[in-house]
Amino acid sequence: MAILTATPGQTIGPFYGYALPFDRSNELVPPGFPGAIRLHGEVTDGVGTPVPDVLLEIWQADADGRVARNPGSLHRDGWTFTGFGRTGTDDAGRYSFTTVTPGVTEPGCAPFFAVTVFGRGLLNRLFTRCYVPGTWLDGDGFLASVPAERRHTLIAKPAAHGLRFDIRLQGHDETVFLRHA
């Protein structure tokens, strides 16, 4: 049996706007939903320039810490929380999701959003976490494993009507990205 080598990663864009969006893909819950918040921010490059044409996906638990396991995450019916969202950045590098604040999934873990970043020039997607600010951060084992001077790049900031999480792709204050095994 022949052993084949892995195919190298490919850049994602700018063509993803054709096939990947779906109706209300950035609304994990509709605006006005009880407990709805806005998770938003800006994606910048190594010198702080906003990056348009980036695709972001989030996965998260609901407000009670339950991970949605129902099929149909691409279907938005106005009341079912699916735990998955997708959106692109605008010309100014901004993005926004309408969702709920995730709850704690297990004791000792801080609530977070799992974030995936796709973009032109990235050979492979990037993975990171966006932690909800609060006292629970001190007890999170994963966050404690990140060097203290870099942890702030994983923690959202309170903002009007929700949370702000900026993503820096490289350079000073680069967001901590995770290796996908």
Side-chain angles (χ1 to χ4, degrees):
M1 182 161 120
I3 297 177
L4 303 175
T5 57
T7 304
Q10 300 291 317
T11 59
I12 188 68
F15 48 83
Y16 65 72
Y18 169 74
L20 294 178
F22 55 94
D23 191 34
R24 299 187 323 260
S25 62
N26 69 326
E27 294 179 9
L28 285 75
V29 297
F33 188 84
I37 66 162
R38 182 172 170 246
L39 173 65
H40 69 283
E42 182 181 48
V43 179
T44 56
D45 66 13
V47 294
T49 303
V51 182
D53 199 30
V54 168
L55 180 71
L56 297 163
E57 292 181 349
I58 62 171
W59 295 86
Q60 69 169 98
D62 69 11
D64 295 322
R66 290 185 303 258
V67 176
R69 302 201 189 286
N70 300 342
S73 63
L74 302 183
H75 175 68
R76 301 297 198 230
D77 60 16
W79 62 86
T80 304
F81 175 79
T82 63
F84 170 76
R86 177 185 289 154
T87 195
T89 57
D90 64 14
D91 289 341
R94 296 180 303 241
Y95 72 90
S96 179
F97 292 97
T98 304
T99 187
V100 297
T101 303
V104 174
T105 56
E106 59 186 77
C109 293
F112 67 92
F113 301 88
V115 181
T116 307
V117 181
F118 301 85
R120 188 184 329 211
L122 294 176
L123 295 180
N124 295 298
R125 61 191 171 187
L126 302 174
F127 299 92
T128 192
R129 285 184 174 186
C130 167
Y131 280 94
V132 176
T135 57
W136 45 63
L137 294 173
D138 295 335
D140 188 87
F142 174 78
L143 194 57
S145 74
V146 174
E149 68 276 5
R150 306 251 352 255
R151 288 182 197 147
H152 71 279
T153 70
L154 296 173
I155 303 169
K157 293 177 176 52
H161 310 293
L163 297 169
R164 180 177 176 109
F165 183 66
D166 293 329
I167 298 171
R168 183 85 178 240
L169 296 177
Q170 58 185 187
H172 177 71
D173 270 347
E174 175 182 333
T175 300
V176 171
F177 295 106
L178 313 174
R179 179 187 286 165
H180 182 65

